[in-house]
Amino acid sequence: MRYAETGYNLEIDLTRGNIERVETDPRDTELYLGGLGTNAKLIWDRVPPDVEPFSPDNLLIFGAGLLCGTPATGCNRTIVSTISPQTQLLAFSMMGGFFAPELKYAGYDKVVLRGKSPELVYIWINNDKVEIRDAAHLAGKGAVETAELIRQELKEPKAQVAAIGLAGENRVFFASIEQGRSSASRGGIGAVMGDKKVKAIVVRGTRDINVSRPAEYMQLCNEVLQYIKFRNENPIPGVMPILAGLGSPQEMKVHDEKWHTENFMWGNSRLRRKDFWNEEIAQAWAETLDSMRRRLISCYNCPMTCGATIAPPGRSVYMMKCFSKLTYTMAAMSDLEFGLGIAQSATEYGVDGFSAPQVMAFALELYEAGILTDQDFPGMPADNEGRFYWLLDRIVRREGIGDLLANGTYWAAKEIGQGAEAYAHNTIKKHEQLPLKLSMLNPIYFLMYSTGEKINITQIEGQFPQAPFPTRAERETFVKDWFQVPDDKFKQYFLDWEPRGEKSMPFYPTVQMCCDIVDWQEKMHYIDDALGMCAGLSSFPLKPPYHIHNYPKFISAGAGIAMDEEKLTQAVKRYRTLVRAINIRRGMRRKDEKPPADHWKKRFPELEKDLLDTYYRFKGWNDEGIPTEESLRELGLEYVFTDLEKRGVYADSGDTPPQGTGAQNEKEV
Amino acid sequence: MPDEKKKKIVKTIKVDVDKCNGCRACEVACSALHAAPPYSSNNPARSRIRIIREPLKDIYVPVYAGEQAKAECLGRDKYVIDGKEYEECAFCRASCPSRDLFKEPDSGLPLKCDMCECDPTLEKPLCVQWCLVNALTYEEREEEAEEEPRPEDVEVSVEALVDKYGLEKVLDTMDRLSLSKKG
């Protein structure tokens, strides 16, 4: 008997319309856990590096985490993995909501899509009955609208729907997959779904998910609930409000946006407005939020209410996620009313809330600079807000200039030329980043930005405070009940970390300490992505209820796999290395591993080189960031070494990319 | 007889639909507890509490399984509260032929909330314990039990039956009834 997982994947060949229920190997669960871990294994095995993102041979995998569907609070993540059209690397964005548990109850751990459907379809999974159904009538419909229409036509109000909007259908490189109150947005995976001509996956399940040692497992779940209660009642003092509690940043609850609006950059990640927030704005924004916010809502089996239903006047209701609250507002130099309004369009179209506003602000900067001219923007309104709506419409339809912009700032700038590259300044590995520009190099963040393969800082940071606390007394208070640390040395690192003086940034924490800190933070995210746990209860906030000490117990009692901290650490290292190997095989090298050049004003090239050199060695990678033979063998990944060597990867510094796909080759749309 | 009225404890769960966040933790906890052995499996389709949930219409109604209704009822009510129209049967607790709620998914047998009076009985129903947003709260209240019917009231009723059907028919019927109750 399989515990926590179902032991079956649903394999769908869209080209031939073939559907198979395939039993999986329990040994893979032991080695790679589930979710991202086993997704990565499938991609390594079945998607060779010459497969382009929009090839029928690219896989699009919806993987429910190993513990999804069990009573573990907040365990509801679907990890969607594919090769990204924007970065050409592995994308493994995840979504919360209600999809993953429903998929488990239907009897599957993953849906693996391959091939390409000749016509637009949706997939209807109802326990054992799986159908590929015509979706011609849903073409062009919004993602939220699509979900409602499908539930009505199937007469299944309890079905969960993951759908793309117009952006996905038109293969916009930052198209999202929308579902429940969540979405899998980063890396353009919605474009791959659109390329495969799948409008939606719909699932309904009424089967059991078993756990191995029930009483013990429930006890662990209850402890987590108790700790959540404790943390809700005891926010961490001395940090900004969004870092004090659990959950993803409580953007739908807070009215005070002083910190975001004065520290994040406006426009095309350019302008810092240090005195922006005042009483008048505070009042106006509070009124806006109060008038449009209907209810605070949660994902499956979670009390954190990180999301909200938003009803902008004259528009249909949608569910808001996290920081999309401000990304449009700030990119357009506008106000919250505009931001909440355009986010409704963006949700229906299905676009990523970081990339989309930045791409539009980038386009308008090019226009102001004269690199793009009136000819490129026929009929564009004169006001900034109107321009954003206009541009969004062009992008999701790939009309005119929108066709270029739909590939993101990196590829668009390359195509436009005439110095446009300088305006695509806020990307890492071709992927738009949070609009942050700071002064002093933070060595921990340098490593996370450079090497994070989810290519999004929020998906690697979390466990260690972002900045030192002002006084030793405050630091002492903080470490007192900090039992989540894997080792007490982390407490010492933090105790000694001063805002100024000898033990301050960039030279403290030391290079070696930075390696430890980054490795711990990254490890927690990778565990979440395999188990299906929401980062908001685990890897993202300080002092979370799930940590390295109780996770092995959850896996043992839940999935029936003997697990301890050491074995878990080794498993995580294994699939984390596999993710890197997939990307290395696709041409990623050291030269790609760097933050945006203007991320910090004060840079330290020698220190940065030392950081990267040391971290690579620490991780078992060579100077190019390629996992070494020794480290691969130690992880039982001999097959990876054999493949990399056969392909001559170790001799290739990546100066000649293995393939030249991207914007130019994708003009067929 | 002393004039002392009987007391009974009524267990109730107060449902605050305004506080419900739609997360379905109640369904998770319920189905886990009622698995055999307890917590060995989990499946909201077996839960004795279900959330009627339509996020875009802001409708969130946790409903507990009550008595089974063997037939559909005549009324399929709709409620409009604060401008929100609730689907037919939204507040009904019955496991009934007109909908798929509160039925074991394999057998179709009806489910009914037992207030977690399992072995051992929980202090509070588990769904309440797991509802950290406090949409569900547990309340006990004491009520006076209904008094036993007085013998003379029964006599009046039987006399009316005798008047209507004759003593013999009533006695025959009583015999048959008592046999079938015993059988």
Side-chain angles (χ1 to χ4, degrees):
Chain A
M1 189 165 177
R2 306 281 283 262
Y3 295 105
E5 58 179 347
T6 66
Y8 291 93
N9 289 346
L10 196 56
E11 293 266 359
I12 300 179
D13 181 339
L14 295 157
T15 308
R16 301 191 306 166
N18 187 50
I19 302 170
E20 277 177 70
R21 180 171 173 263
V22 178
E23 189 168 3
T24 56
D25 188 340
R27 283 172 301 185
D28 280 346
T29 313
E30 257 194 273
L31 291 171
Y32 308 96
L33 305 182
L36 170 64
T38 38
N39 280 7
K41 179 70 164 65
L42 285 172
I43 298 233
W44 172 269
D45 288 346
R46 289 166 54 182
V47 186
D50 55 342
V51 171
E52 305 210 4
F54 292 151
S55 155
D57 295 332
N58 189 9
L59 297 183
L60 178 64
I61 307 174
F62 291 72
L66 177 62
L67 299 181
C68 290
T70 74
T73 294
C75 198
N76 51 42
R77 286 299 199 256
T78 311
I79 295 84
V80 190
S81 308
T82 191
I83 302 302
S84 157
Q86 190 186 41
T87 68
Q88 315 275 313
L89 303 172
L90 180 69
F92 48 107
S93 192
M94 350 141 284
M95 54 192 182
F98 296 79
F99 189 88
E102 199 73 31
L103 185 65
K104 297 285 274 286
Y105 298 135
Y108 313 98
D109 299 316
K110 295 184 199 298
V111 179
V112 183
L113 302 179
R114 66 177 189 276
K116 254 186 220 200
S117 166
E119 305 294 338
L120 193 67
V121 294
Y122 73 89
I123 294 161
W124 169 217
I125 303 165
N126 185 7
N127 290 322
D128 278 346
K129 209 171 128 197
V130 182
E131 295 171 29
I132 300 173
R133 296 174 67 110
D134 176 49
H137 59 300
L138 299 170
K141 300 279 190 220
V144 181
E145 190 186 4
T146 296
E148 286 306 301
L149 288 170
I150 290 177
R151 282 194 196 98
Q152 282 166 22
E153 96 181 25
L154 296 173
K155 295 195 174 60
E156 282 284 351
K158 294 196 202 77
Q160 302 299 338
V161 183
I164 54 169
L166 205 49
E169 285 182 50
N170 288 329
R171 309 198 304 184
V172 172
F173 282 13
F174 41 92
S176 62
I177 299 170
E178 301 284 329
Q179 176 264 138
R181 66 151 224 84
S182 193
S183 66
S185 296
R186 302 292 277 160
I189 52 181
V192 176
M193 189 154 156
D195 180 63
K196 296 195 174 303
K197 293 229 190 270
V198 176
K199 180 71 179 170
I201 302 183
V202 188
V203 60
R204 171 83 180 117
T206 58
R207 301 280 174 73
D208 299 346
I209 287 296
N210 301 300
V211 295
S212 171
R213 296 199 296 277
E216 196 181 325
Y217 193 77
M218 205 59 181
Q219 175 64 29
L220 290 164
C221 294
N222 279 319
E223 284 167 16
V224 161
L225 269 187
Q226 290 311 314
Y227 189 70
I228 291 173
K229 266 193 219 170
F230 168 81
R231 283 286 278 103
N232 287 349
E233 287 155 15
N234 298 277
I236 294 170
V239 294
M240 62 191 104
I242 63 157
L243 296 177
L246 297 175
S248 57
Q250 301 291 299
E251 282 297 298
M252 293 301 106
K253 277 179 203 151
V254 299
H255 285 117
D256 182 357
E257 290 292 1
K258 181 178 168 65
W259 186 78
H260 276 128
T261 54
E262 294 187 351
N263 285 284
F264 279 50
M265 307 301 270
W266 294 68
N268 180 25
S269 193
R270 292 289 192 192
L271 179 67
R272 186 159 170 198
R273 299 165 90 178
K274 279 185 176 170
D275 300 312
F276 173 77
W277 195 252
N278 59 37
E279 229 165 82
E280 194 186 332
I281 290 170
Q283 197 187 336
W285 287 29
E287 275 169 28
T288 299
L289 188 60
D290 289 340
S291 68
M292 295 191 198
R293 184 185 60 197
R294 276 198 172 171
R295 183 184 293 253
L296 295 169
I297 55 173
S298 297
C299 297
Y300 183 78
N301 191 19
C302 179
M304 293 316 301
T305 56
C306 309
T309 34
I310 302 286
R315 294 168 161 271
S316 58
V317 179
Y318 70 106
M319 291 175 258
M320 168 63 89
K321 295 149 293 206
C322 206
F323 195 56
S324 299
K325 176 185 175 186
L326 294 188
T327 52
Y328 292 94
T329 296
M330 292 178 69
M333 307 284 291
S334 183
D335 58 18
L336 187 61
E337 190 178 352
F338 164 77
L340 295 183
I342 196 169
Q344 188 269 336
S345 300
T347 304
E348 289 285 12
Y349 286 147
V351 286
D352 175 50
F354 284 121
S355 289
Q358 207 161 122
V359 168
M360 295 189 279
F362 155 84
L364 292 177
E365 240 187 23
L366 290 179
Y367 179 59
E368 277 162 33
I371 295 174
L372 292 177
T373 62
D374 284 327
Q375 283 176 326
D376 297 303
F377 300 98
M380 182 169 76
D383 66 301
N384 220 27
E385 298 178 349
R387 286 174 169 180
F388 264 67
Y389 277 106
W390 186 88
L391 279 168
L392 184 60
D393 281 348
R394 301 286 87 67
I395 288 169
V396 300
R397 292 183 171 80
R398 280 191 176 271
E399 282 171 5
I401 193 72
D403 189 31
L404 283 181
L405 297 173
N407 295 336
T409 57
Y410 173 88
W411 294 109
K414 226 177 155 177
E415 180 85 0
I416 293 163
Q418 307 167 63
E421 281 94 338
Y423 296 80
H425 66 108
N426 200 38
T427 62
I428 300 176
K429 295 165 186 156
K430 311 179 178 68
H431 194 38
E432 290 80 13
Q433 300 298 306
L434 260 71
L436 263 172
K437 300 292 160 195
L438 301 164
S439 175
M440 172 56 78
L441 176 88
N442 177 327
I444 303 170
Y445 275 70
F446 170 80
L447 280 180
M448 293 195 294
Y449 277 118
S450 299
T451 63
E453 266 158 279
K454 220 187 264 175
I455 324 179
N456 200 61
I457 195 66
T458 56
Q459 300 298 328
I460 181 168
E461 66 182 345
Q463 291 309 286
F464 202 80
Q466 294 189 10
F469 289 7
T471 65
R472 189 160 183 104
E474 284 168 277
R475 300 196 288 271
E476 276 167 1
T477 310
F478 180 82
V479 303
K480 227 174 257 169
D481 60 354
W482 198 16
F483 60 84
Q484 289 86 350
V485 290
D487 187 296
D488 273 351
K489 69 184 175 191
F490 290 96
K491 294 185 183 174
Q492 201 57 49
Y493 296 171
F494 182 66
L495 279 172
D496 295 341
W497 193 15
E498 302 274 356
R500 270 168 298 280
E502 206 182 308
K503 291 200 165 173
S504 71
M505 293 192 283
F507 294 105
Y508 191 94
T510 66
V511 171
Q512 191 57 48
M513 290 173 191
C514 287
C515 292
D516 285 338
I517 294 167
V518 171
D519 185 61
W520 170 33
Q521 304 203 82
E522 180 181 80
K523 179 162 72 182
M524 298 320 296
H525 281 276
Y526 272 77
I527 297 176
D528 289 347
D529 290 356
L531 303 185
M533 186 59 66
C534 172
L537 286 177
S538 179
S539 47
F540 184 73
L542 296 164
K543 299 185 180 174
Y546 294 100
H547 41 79
I548 189 66
H549 308 304
N550 64 1
Y551 262 150
K553 297 177 191 169
F554 268 94
I555 297 168
S556 300
I561 298 168
M563 192 60 71
D564 56 27
E565 286 178 33
E566 199 184 330
K567 199 176 158 196
L568 178 57
T569 299
Q570 191 75 351
V572 175
K573 203 172 170 192
R574 184 176 298 117
Y575 60 79
R576 193 271 170 267
T577 304
L578 196 55
V579 167
R580 170 143 294 235
I582 290 167
N583 287 335
I584 288 290
R585 196 165 70 162
R586 297 191 68 86
M588 187 185 81
R589 292 293 184 275
R590 183 180 184 127
K591 64 180 167 45
D592 303 303
E593 304 235 276
K594 52 183 188 218
D598 57 357
H599 187 81
W600 293 286
K601 261 198 207 108
K602 294 177 194 159
R603 299 291 291 263
F604 298 80
E606 275 174 40
L607 172 64
E608 291 172 23
K609 181 180 180 305
D610 191 15
L611 278 163
L612 209 50
D613 283 344
T614 312
Y615 188 66
Y616 277 0
R617 273 197 302 276
F618 177 91
K619 296 289 256 191
W621 308 337
N622 70 15
D623 279 347
E624 279 298 329
I626 306 169
T628 62
E629 175 178 2
E630 193 191 354
S631 69
L632 289 169
R633 288 195 189 284
E634 192 199 319
L635 294 165
L637 297 175
E638 290 85 357
Y639 63 90
V640 173
F641 171 71
T642 312
D643 185 275
L644 292 183
E645 198 183 39
K646 199 176 73 194
R647 291 177 192 275
V649 160
Y650 289 100
D652 175 12
S653 64
D655 290 333
T656 44
Q659 71 259 356
T661 48
Q664 280 175 318
N665 293 359
E666 303 302 344
K667 288 270 292 184
E668 66 193 58
V669 185
Chain B
M1 268 178 72
D3 192 27
E4 210 174 273
K5 289 191 171 154
K6 285 192 180 166
K7 304 275 189 189
K8 63 177 179 187
I9 301 291
V10 178
K11 296 181 170 183
T12 63
I13 292 168
K14 192 166 89 182
V15 178
D16 186 340
V17 298
D18 290 335
K19 286 186 180 156
C20 180
N21 64 345
C23 81
R24 302 169 60 197
C26 50
E27 300 180 7
V28 174
C30 177
S31 70
L33 174 73
H34 289 94
Y39 311 123
S40 61
S41 70
N42 173 255
N43 178 359
R46 293 186 199 283
S47 173
R48 294 130 193 245
I49 175 170
R50 298 306 301 268
I51 301 182
I52 310 278
R53 187 176 168 278
E54 287 181 73
L56 300 180
K57 294 186 190 161
D58 198 45
I59 284 174
Y60 295 81
V61 189
V63 184
Y64 287 86
E67 295 298 333
Q68 183 198 15
K70 287 180 180 157
E72 290 184 31
C73 57
L74 286 176
R76 296 277 187 90
D77 301 329
K78 290 199 175 190
Y79 296 82
V80 179
I81 304 171
D82 284 343
K84 291 183 270 185
E85 185 174 297
Y86 290 78
E87 67 172 49
E88 56 180 6
C89 317
F91 300 97
C92 180
R93 305 177 48 168
S95 168
C96 99
S98 69
R99 61 177 183 181
D100 68 349
L101 271 192
F102 304 137
K103 286 169 190 159
E104 280 284 358
D106 324 314
S107 61
L109 289 171
L111 293 162
K112 189 185 161 190
C113 169
D114 60 359
M115 289 298 214
C116 293
E117 286 186 350
C118 37
D119 188 22
T121 292
L122 305 188
E123 199 181 313
K124 277 183 196 174
L126 198 63
C127 56
V128 173
Q129 294 183 40
W130 274 52
C131 185
L132 263 49
V133 295
N134 297 320
L136 309 176
T137 42
Y138 178 67
E139 286 177 0
E140 275 181 7
R141 64 170 189 269
E142 221 175 34
E143 261 183 15
E144 285 175 3
E146 273 182 47
E147 287 175 70
E148 291 288 311
R150 289 175 301 174
E152 53 269 35
D153 289 347
V154 181
E155 222 174 282
V156 171
S157 308
V158 176
E159 253 175 47
L161 287 176
V162 172
D163 286 347
K164 190 169 180 186
Y165 299 109
L167 182 61
E168 209 166 324
K169 274 215 161 124
V170 171
L171 283 176
D172 278 357
T173 311
M174 288 297 184
D175 285 346
R176 267 206 315 279
L177 271 179
S178 55
L179 264 178
S180 73
K181 292 275 177 201
K182 275 177 205 159

